[in-house]
């Protein structure tokens, strides 16, 4: 067959595409279990962090999740538990960031006065800029933050706000739009959790 | 290109024909990822891996692929290796994969890889092509790491996430944003060119 003939060209392209895509699907299915496990661990960690628990590397997060949330049921809009005598309500959130959907988990006191913890599950913000919402110093600011009137992610020093009573956290320097989006997402989430809880009572 | 010895290729890819400051390729990622050393390291390792394996594959298949569609097949091969890198990161380094996000996929559009496949692997054997891909990646890596070092140090006061500058240091916000990469890349270009030209004049 001539190398520049139409049939040869189409044939080679089709065969090459088939082989490479086939190998990819092999690699994908070989790792899919591992990826799914990573995802489960990530979610379990997020729920624990949102409940105010410091998750360590060695912790068996899935077991810990069962002990913290005995009635964990992912089909419910939010999870409730009592931890150290305090009633908590923890719920997953999602909303649009600058480039794509931001998902995470937010934990609140049952009286909605303070945030217990916040964890980001996934985002597609710019790495090194908006992507820094996933850094520990940023997320730690939410822990114990006063949030009766919602929270404000302000343009601050970008080093982290330590005042837990002002309802404010430092935004990400150079990523104002991601910070603004996240502020809206969190405040919407607080309202949603309030009405979900109210509706149940 | 004169001389195809491994040391000649190394010298060209890392210095005299550096993909970043001589060929000005792969600039997108130079501007984007270099405000953080860890992200830059993983990204450039990804580019090295993809460049080397793409070159091997293109070199092995060069007799089979019809000329008309060779670019499309090269793109297919590049995409294949990039997705492999993405899958591996997701399975074994989920944290890094989360923080690099869409940038891994963008390796596909890195002109260095396509450029080396077209300019080198199409006309050379697989082993020397692998070396060419690897050294091109190395040339890309050292320039990006240098820029990332300056940007992370001045932008955050940290190196690989470890604080090295005192608390009183005021971070330069501009270093976190893309424009600073333009300035730094321009400076690198200036210095490198000056040194290369001086050497040439000295001959």
């Amino acid at each position: 067959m001539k190398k520049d003939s139409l049939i040869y060209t189409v044939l080679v392209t089709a065969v090459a595409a088939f082989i490479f895509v086939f190998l990819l699907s092999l690699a994908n299915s070989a790792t899919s279990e591992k990826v799914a496990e990573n995802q489960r661990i990530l979610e379990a960690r997020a729920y624990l962090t949102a409940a105010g628990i410091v998750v360590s590397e060695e912790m068996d997060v899935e077991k810990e999740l069962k002990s913290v949330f005995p009635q964990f049921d992912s089909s419910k809009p939010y999870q409730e538990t009592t931890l150290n005598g305090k009633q908590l309500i923890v719920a997953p959130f999602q909303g649009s960031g600058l480039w794509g959907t931001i998902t995470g988990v937010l934990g609140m006191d049952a009286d909605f006065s303070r945030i217990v913890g916040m964890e980001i599950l996934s985002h597609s913000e710019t790495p090194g800029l908006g992507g820094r919402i996933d850094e520990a110093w940023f997320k730690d600011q939410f822990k114990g933050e006063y949030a009766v009137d919602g929270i404000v992610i302000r343009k601050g020093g970008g080093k982290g706000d330590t005042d837990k009573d002002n309802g404010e956290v430092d935004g990400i320097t150079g990523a104002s739009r991601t910070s603004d989006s996240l502020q809206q997402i969190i405040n919407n989430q607080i309202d949603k959790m309030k009405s979900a809880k109210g509706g149940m009572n | 290109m004169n001389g195809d010895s491994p040391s000649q290729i190394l010298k060209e890819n890392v210095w005299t024909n550096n993909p970043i400051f001589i060929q000005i390729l792969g600039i997108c990622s130079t501007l984007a990822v270099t405000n953080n050393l860890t992200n830059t390291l993983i990204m450039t390792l990804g580019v090295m891996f993809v460049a080397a394996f793409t070159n091997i594959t293109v070199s092995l298949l060069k007799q089979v692929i019809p000329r008309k569609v060779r670019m499309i097949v090269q793109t297919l091969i590049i995409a294949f290796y990039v997705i492999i890198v993405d899958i591996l990161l997701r399975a074994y380094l989920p944290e890094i994969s989360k923080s690099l996000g869409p940038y891994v996929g963008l390796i596909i559009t890195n002109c260095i890889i396509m450029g080396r496949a077209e300019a080198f692997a199409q006309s050379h054997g697989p082993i020397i092509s692998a070396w060419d891909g690897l050294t091109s990646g190395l040339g890309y890596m050292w320039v990006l790491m240098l820029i990332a070092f300056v940007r992370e140090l001045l932008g955050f006061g940290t190196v690989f996430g470890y604080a090295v500058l005192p608390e009183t240091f005021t971070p330069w916000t501009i270093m976190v944003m893309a424009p600073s990469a333009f300035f730094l890349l321009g400076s690198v270009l200036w210095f490198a060119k000056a040194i290369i030209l001086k050497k040439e004049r000295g001959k």
Side-chain angles (χ1 to χ4, degrees):
Chain A
M1 213 184 301
K2 267 173 73 182
K3 247 189 89 177
D4 49 1
S5 74
L6 183 67
I7 300 168
Y8 180 84
T9 308
V10 171
L11 212 67
V12 167
T13 318
V15 169
F18 176 79
I19 292 172
F20 283 116
V21 174
F22 180 71
L23 290 176
L24 275 187
S25 63
L26 275 189
N28 192 36
S29 61
T31 54
S32 64
E33 226 167 272
K34 182 89 184 137
V35 172
E37 190 196 323
N38 288 344
Q39 188 61 28
R40 274 205 312 279
I41 291 174
L42 193 72
E43 273 184 42
R45 273 170 172 246
Y47 272 96
L48 291 174
T49 314
I53 293 163
V54 180
V55 183
S56 64
E57 276 302 318
E58 315 82 60
M59 196 183 266
D60 183 350
V61 283
E62 286 183 303
K63 222 169 104 191
E64 184 75 16
L65 185 70
K66 280 216 181 75
S67 78
V68 174
F69 298 98
Q71 284 123 27
F72 191 88
D73 178 1
S74 55
S75 62
K76 281 201 303 190
Y78 62 88
Q79 316 294 329
E80 275 179 297
T81 189
T82 309
L83 212 63
N84 304 330
K86 248 190 351 189
Q87 243 196 312
L88 304 179
I89 163 165
V90 177
F93 63 81
Q94 68 168 35
S96 39
L98 176 56
W99 299 122
T101 307
I102 298 176
T103 64
V105 182
L106 184 74
M108 299 280 299
D109 282 346
D111 61 356
F112 295 100
S113 62
R114 279 177 196 275
I115 292 174
V116 179
M118 191 276 287
E119 180 67 62
I120 303 286
L121 272 175
S122 73
H123 67 82
S124 32
E125 302 310 293
T126 321
L129 288 172
R132 296 180 65 220
I133 54 170
D134 204 11
E135 286 180 8
W137 69 270
F138 180 74
K139 293 181 292 194
D140 282 349
Q141 296 182 95
F142 288 85
K143 220 178 247 182
E145 190 70 40
Y146 179 79
V148 165
D149 309 309
I151 50 134
V152 174
I153 301 182
R154 62 161 188 224
K155 292 187 179 69
K159 280 190 168 166
D161 173 70
T162 47
D163 185 351
K164 297 292 184 197
D165 298 319
N166 60 2
E168 291 184 355
V169 299
D170 268 5
I172 310 278
T173 309
S176 309
R177 300 217 358 235
T178 299
S179 304
D180 290 348
S181 306
L182 191 65
Q183 172 181 324
Q184 206 177 352
I185 292 170
I186 299 274
N187 288 335
N188 278 347
Q189 174 70 4
I190 295 175
D191 289 344
K192 238 188 249 168
M193 284 163 78
K194 269 183 194 164
S195 60
K197 185 89 162 73
M200 297 296 258
N201 286 342
Chain B
M1 212 176 288
N2 54 345
D4 282 343
S5 71
S7 62
Q8 186 68 26
I9 289 170
L10 176 73
K11 196 184 159 210
E12 279 195 4
N13 283 333
V14 171
W15 182 245
T16 52
N17 200 18
N18 185 288
I20 300 285
F21 60 73
I22 302 296
Q23 300 178 41
I24 323 284
L25 291 176
I27 297 305
C28 257
S29 49
T30 311
L31 302 179
V33 291
T34 53
N35 62 7
N36 179 307
L37 273 165
T38 316
N39 286 355
T40 310
L41 183 68
I42 299 293
M43 176 89 178
T44 51
L45 282 175
V47 170
M48 257 169 110
F49 171 87
V50 174
F53 279 93
T54 301
N55 267 6
I56 296 177
T57 315
V58 168
S59 171
L60 285 173
L61 294 179
K62 64 178 182 283
Q63 305 298 344
V64 188
I65 304 166
R67 272 197 76 73
K68 267 185 269 182
V69 291
R70 68 178 195 289
M71 295 284 242
I72 286 180
V73 176
Q74 281 165 8
T75 315
L76 177 74
I77 295 167
I78 296 166
F80 169 75
Y81 284 114
V82 171
I83 297 173
I84 291 280
V85 170
D86 194 35
I87 288 175
L88 290 179
L89 284 180
R90 253 190 300 160
Y92 301 105
L93 293 169
E95 288 298 312
I96 300 270
S97 163
K98 214 173 143 202
S99 83
L100 270 178
Y103 281 172
V104 177
L106 287 178
I107 297 177
I108 295 174
T109 62
N110 193 313
C111 311
I112 297 169
I113 299 165
M114 187 79 156
R116 294 326 289 173
E118 181 66 13
F120 197 93
Q122 273 293 342
S123 52
H124 291 79
I127 294 167
I128 196 75
S129 295
W131 177 247
D132 179 75
L134 211 63
T135 49
S136 287
L138 198 69
Y140 172 75
M141 177 190 260
W142 82 259
V143 178
L144 258 70
M145 288 301 276
L146 182 73
I147 293 175
F149 175 76
V150 177
R151 288 183 69 185
E152 196 184 319
L153 185 72
L154 297 178
F156 299 113
T158 59
V159 171
F160 282 109
Y162 294 102
V164 288
L165 292 178
E167 269 296 298
T168 49
F169 172 75
T170 309
W172 301 15
T173 305
I174 181 89
M175 283 295 169
V176 180
M177 328 264 262
S180 69
F182 275 112
F183 298 128
L184 287 170
L185 179 63
S187 312
V188 171
L189 226 147
W190 181 7
F191 278 112
K193 271 285 191 190
I195 295 169
I196 290 172
L197 286 177
K198 204 175 169 192
K199 254 196 191 155
E200 274 177 11
R201 244 182 261 128
K203 268 179 197 166

